[in-house]
Amino acid sequence: MQVALVGIGKIALDQHVPAITSSPDWVLAATVSRHGGVGGVPAYTDFAALLAERQDIRVISLCLPPVPRFAYAAAALKAGRHVMLEKPPGATLSECHALEGLARAGRLSLYATWHSREAAQVAAAKAWLADKALRHLSVTWKEDVRRWHPGQDWIWEPGGLGVFDPGINALSIVTAILPEPIHLTAATLSFPDNRQTPIAADLRFHHPGGAEVSAVFDWRQEGDQTWTIKAVTDAGTLTLTDGGAQMAVDGVRAAAQDDAPLTGEYPRLYSKMARLVQAGGIDMDLSPMRHVADAFTLGRRVTVAPFHW
Amino acid sequence: MQVALVGIGKIALDQHVPAITSSPDWVLAATVSRHGGVGGVPAYTDFAALLAERQDIRVISLCLPPVPRFAYAAAALKAGRHVMLEKPPGATLSECHALEGLARAGRLSLYATWHSREAAQVAAAKAWLADKALRHLSVTWKEDVRRWHPGQDWIWEPGGLGVFDPGINALSIVTAILPEPIHLTAATLSFPDNRQTPIAADLRFHHPGGAEVSAVFDWRQEGDQTWTIKAVTDAGTLTLTDGGAQMAVDGVRAAAQDDAPLTGEYPRLYSKMARLVQAGGIDMDLSPMRHVADAFTLGRRVTVAPFHW
């Protein structure tokens, strides 16, 4: 199947292009970007022109920042194309509902991807937790924004989500591995004095079984980076580290899952998209984004030191 | 049917109690409150005791502030009771989804009420707009917080929503009368320097037909109060004033709808709840609350003068 990739920035070049070009399912048939491109692939600067001229391309993958994404997704769906969305699937929950309405009306596939859910050990963690009683769950997601988002000013603008841009990855894993739904009960959001989005967040959740569930996100972490989820249950402690790539139970490291036919988060996303298009389905789980919106709505705002690159 | 009313504050005494006691469907069988009560009605201070001792009361109406409400709603649903929720239905979207899950599991009725949707002319406005092409829609919701929420400090605490507490009423009308869904594209939220929730908000929305849709909420309005929605269409201009109680088309005032068997927003809510319980349904439209969460997520924060009562 042919796919056009829209938004040729860091995430597109680092992840999407290699995943597509190494896939047995996909051919990268075109790119759309104001500046970037991929050698040997037809490059468009005008999305409307692509939709009009390339009726042969039935699938559009969008990796623009969330704020401009709706207009592209809506145009693609209205032009009868299947759509795959980088995370988060939009700038607002309501626009995601609207996209789902367009996809249903057009009988098109729409996939809100959560790449961290495809990390190597997430499925194993979900399977292990399925029959355990949870006592505590803590998320520690601490990274250096200067290393991972160098100069990306949009993350500090309204809708850019700030530290929730990586934090939503943790929430996408937690909502995937826990058998029961949680909801936020309290949050503290730390906004740099000169920025519109938080640089750190501290979240507490209600769990139906009474477990203590909490998360700490921080973008000011220099040196070692931490992307860890620790779940204490009645039958041992599970630890997911390295963003879900590694798992241990009571300190014993789980076997690597990398003998699966597909290695890596993005190759698995594109494989799922291929199956979704073939089956004619919609996969639009908004729960990670709902938790982020809940945190912005319910969170206590604290002002912290200004942030400069 | 017997109903227990939980949270005997201003809204309960002003609206819920008169609506229940004047209804042919309902008997006010008990109240639950730390302090207040209603003359001649058994008053509980402990909700668990009410649920245990009064198995004859099958319906619980909750008019507590949104933050503590989930625990009461979940306890009532787990105890097999039907539940009616004041607006907004919770402090977070995720907890509302969880309540809906509990209601479905227990085959119970759950009603997220939006009292402003029951204002006298809202149904007429919806009917009039159904076959028109919208060009502009503007909401002006300007009131004096000191007059309507005297001393209610919870509205300034995280989760209290600030000016979105009345603003969500406007959004509940807009989402009811427009035939197509809108979504937020930009917002400015004005936070008093000493408070956690906004005192004013300026919202812009995308409309599928390209209409300009905007809203201004302000809690600093002294003197005349304004709750107006103006919709300019290809076939005239509709104006809803007084929070939906009055309607005019091209300046000609619409006939009063008050010859209906039930007059007033809350009597109509309780009538709907009676029918919902009899039919065994769930009515949980979260779209007004989703727009508020979207505004907190996407909104640009501006700091304004401190607020003191």
Side-chain angles (χ1 to χ4, degrees), chain A residues 123-146:
Chain A
K126 178 186 168 83
W128 190 86
L129 285 167
D131 61 355
K132 311 291 190 298
L134 189 69
R135 303 278 187 241
H136 302 265
L137 184 139
S138 59
V139 174
T140 310
W141 226 250
K142 294 185 176 181
E143 61 175 51
D144 183 352
V145 63
R146 291 181 181 84

Side-chain angles (χ1 to χ4, degrees), chain A residues 221-245:
Chain A
Q221 175 85 0
E222 297 180 8
D224 284 350
Q225 308 285 287
T226 308
W227 300 283
T228 297
I229 297 170
K230 184 176 172 186
V232 180
T233 75
D234 62 335
T237 295
L238 177 142
T239 313
L240 273 175
T241 51
D242 202 9

Side-chain angles (χ1 to χ4, degrees), chain B residues 69-87:
Chain B
R69 201 179 299 149
F70 173 82
Y72 286 81
L77 292 166
K78 285 180 186 168
R81 307 308 210 282
H82 308 290
V83 172
M84 177 166 164
L85 301 163
E86 237 313 341
K87 65 90 201 178

Side-chain angles (χ1 to χ4, degrees), chain A residues 67 70 92-95 97 157-159 161 182-184 191 195-197 206 290-291 293-294 296-301, chain B residues 67 70 92-95 97 157-159 161 182-184 191 195-197 206 290-291 293-294 296-301:
Chain A
V67 168
F70 173 83
T92 64
L93 289 163
S94 303
E95 77 187 52
H97 282 262
E157 286 300 301
L161 299 188
I182 56 174
H183 67 260
L184 194 81
F191 287 79
R195 300 289 179 173
Q196 284 288 335
T197 58
H206 171 92
R290 209 152 47 219
H291 289 304
D294 287 342
F296 275 94
T297 307
L298 186 59
R300 182 172 292 277
R301 291 166 302 109
Chain B
V67 168
F70 173 82
T92 64
L93 290 162
S94 302
E95 76 186 53
H97 281 262
E157 287 300 301
L161 300 189
I182 57 174
H183 68 259
L184 194 82
F191 287 79
R195 302 289 179 172
Q196 283 288 334
T197 56
H206 170 92
R290 209 152 49 220
H291 289 303
D294 288 342
F296 275 94
T297 307
L298 185 59
R300 182 171 293 277
R301 291 166 303 109

